[in-house]
């Protein structure tokens, strides 16, 4: 993308919007449609597209660790008072817990109002776990709710990045960020290098994002080709209930919180993140959209340190979609296996899920592992009952990931508003679709050349200020 220079010093340069067919969200949406058609009409060919989708997701996960690590360090190092870091973290965790409780309650309320499992009368003795489900069951039964705490400390520094464990990366980044802040001037060159390296990593991310339509196509073609659209009809009512419950939660609960407290419009926010939402829909996971979420929240005017702390932590602790799924699926299995749960037992189930939902964060099959851990801990509902919904789990994962993404976007804005770390006027202008100047990059050293500000996301296409050339010495 080229910029026409303006002769007048300090004049602005307008970045022309891309044609509609070059917009990322249009390409991803088209790729999803093509993937669905391919998987439906030619299942074998659709299944063969699995490496295309998994390779893209793997490439995105490759960058998540460095992005989280560098962003948190830069954010902490840029805070004047370290007490603010701790205060932001505590407020975020409080909000996460409240949000999780509300989401769990929504799932329980929905399945109680519409008891779809009644009348199934599944034979528990005839339910046998096998294949991939058996692996998840085994891992879930041996998992304890407190393991996510003991797992915070990695075996080695690079081990957290190799394994892609976001919680461990956050732990390392917070320690390093605080240490750099406390050593004073000694750490300033390292902080400057971190800020520059962050821009490089985001530039690499922009390269990888060009393959997003291809990744969404491969993932969707594989899902439809392997599981088939016919799977949707077998338990379509349960899938529909989960989707409707999730939509009501996002619109009513998250929308009300965003409107009443942050004073922003939910639908404008969803439009702002349309590329990321379509990417989540295509890949069935929210992880590839994490870098875009962080970058766009900063562009909206959320303080960098708040974004760096809240978003990565929320990806492990603020899983609203997974919470709705856990409560709804657990009670459905109880109903289908003729297991009667009193109101008190359902509240006990909710308390257990509040803990087990954190235990499998970022793990493949995490939703099923958490569900198994929940049923194993409670003991009233047969664990083998998860086979009743294993076949449709893939079609519910998209919704889980979308709600998780929306929940973390709203959570970051709420915490930022709570901490007075949000430029509300700028956020409103961005969400209204106005042309907004890119935020200035980190201030370079006095003797360093001034570089252009980083290009904003395609959805924002800001006005860029041309940097006037320095005046020659007298």
């Amino acid at each position: 993308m080229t910029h026409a220079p303006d002769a007048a010093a300090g004049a602005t340069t307008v970045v022309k919007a891309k044609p509609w067919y070059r917009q990322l969200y249009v390409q991803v949406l088209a790729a999803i449609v093509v993937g669905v058609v391919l998987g439906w009409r030619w299942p074998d060919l659709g299944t063969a597209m699995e490496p295309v989708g998994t390779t893209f997701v793997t490439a995105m996960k490759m960058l998540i660790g460095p992005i989280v690590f560098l962003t948190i360090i830069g954010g902490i190092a840029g805070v004047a008072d370290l007490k603010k870091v701790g205060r932001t973290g505590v407020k975020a965790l409080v909000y996460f817990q409240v949000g999780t409780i509300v989401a769990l309650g929504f799932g329980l309320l929905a399945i109680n109002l519409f008891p779809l499992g009644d009348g199934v009368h599944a034979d528990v003795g005839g339910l046998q776990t096998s294949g991939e489900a058996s692996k998840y069951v085994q891992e879930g039964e041996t998992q304890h709710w407190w393991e996510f705490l003991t797992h915070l400390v990695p075996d080695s520094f690079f081990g957290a990045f190799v394994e892609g464990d976001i919680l461990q990366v956050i732990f390392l980044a917070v320690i390093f960020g605080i240490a750099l802040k406390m050593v004073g001037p000694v750490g300033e060159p390292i902080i400057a290098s971190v800020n520059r390296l962050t821009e490089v990593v985001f530039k690499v991310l922009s390269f990888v994002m060009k393959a997003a339509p291809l990744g969404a196509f491969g993932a969707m073609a594989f899902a439809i080709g392997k599981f088939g659209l016919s799977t949707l009809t077998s338990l379509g009512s349960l899938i529909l209930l989960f989707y409707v419950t999730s939509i009501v939660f996002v619109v009513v609960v998250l929308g009300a919180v965003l409107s009443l407290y942050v004073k922003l419009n939910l639908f404008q926010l969803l439009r702002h993140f349309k590329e990321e939402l379509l990417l989540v829909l295509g890949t069935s996971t929210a992880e590839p959209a994490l870098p875009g979420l962080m970058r766009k929240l900063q562009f909206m005017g959320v303080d960098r340190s708040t974004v760096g702390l809240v978003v990565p932590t929320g990806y492990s602790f603020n899983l609203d979609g997974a919470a709705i799924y856990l409560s709804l699926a657990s009670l459905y299995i109880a109903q289908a296996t003729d297991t009667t749960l009193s109101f008190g037992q359902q509240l006990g189930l909710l308390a257990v899920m509040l803990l087990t939902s954190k235990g499998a964060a970022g793990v493949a099959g995490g939703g099923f592992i958490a569900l198994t851990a929940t049923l194993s801990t409670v003991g009233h509902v047969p664990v083998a009952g998860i086979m009743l919904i294993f076949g449709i789990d893939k079609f519910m994962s998209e919704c889980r990931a979308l709600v998780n993404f929306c929940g973390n976007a709203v959570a970051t804005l709420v915490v930022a508003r709570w901490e007075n770390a949000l430029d509300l006027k700028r956020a409103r202008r961005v969400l209204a679709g106005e042309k907004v100047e890119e935020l200035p990059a980190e201030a370079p050293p006095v003797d360093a050349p001034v570089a252009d500000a980083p290009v904003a996301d395609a959805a924002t296409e800001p006005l860029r200020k041309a940097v006037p050339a320095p005046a020659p010495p007298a």
Side-chain angles (χ1 to χ4, degrees), residues 29 46 51 53 70 148 155 161 244 273 299 325 328 337 351 431 445 467:
L29 183 60
L70 294 171
F148 75 94
D155 295 330
F161 296 91
V244 171
F273 289 110
F299 182 78
Y325 165 80
L328 191 147
T337 55
L431 294 186
V467 180

Side-chain angles (χ1 to χ4, degrees), residues 7 46 85 130 149 197 210 223 235 269 282 331 422 461:
V85 176
S130 59
L149 291 174
L197 187 57
K210 295 182 184 299
L235 288 171
L269 184 71
L331 206 57
L422 170 65
E461 293 293 358

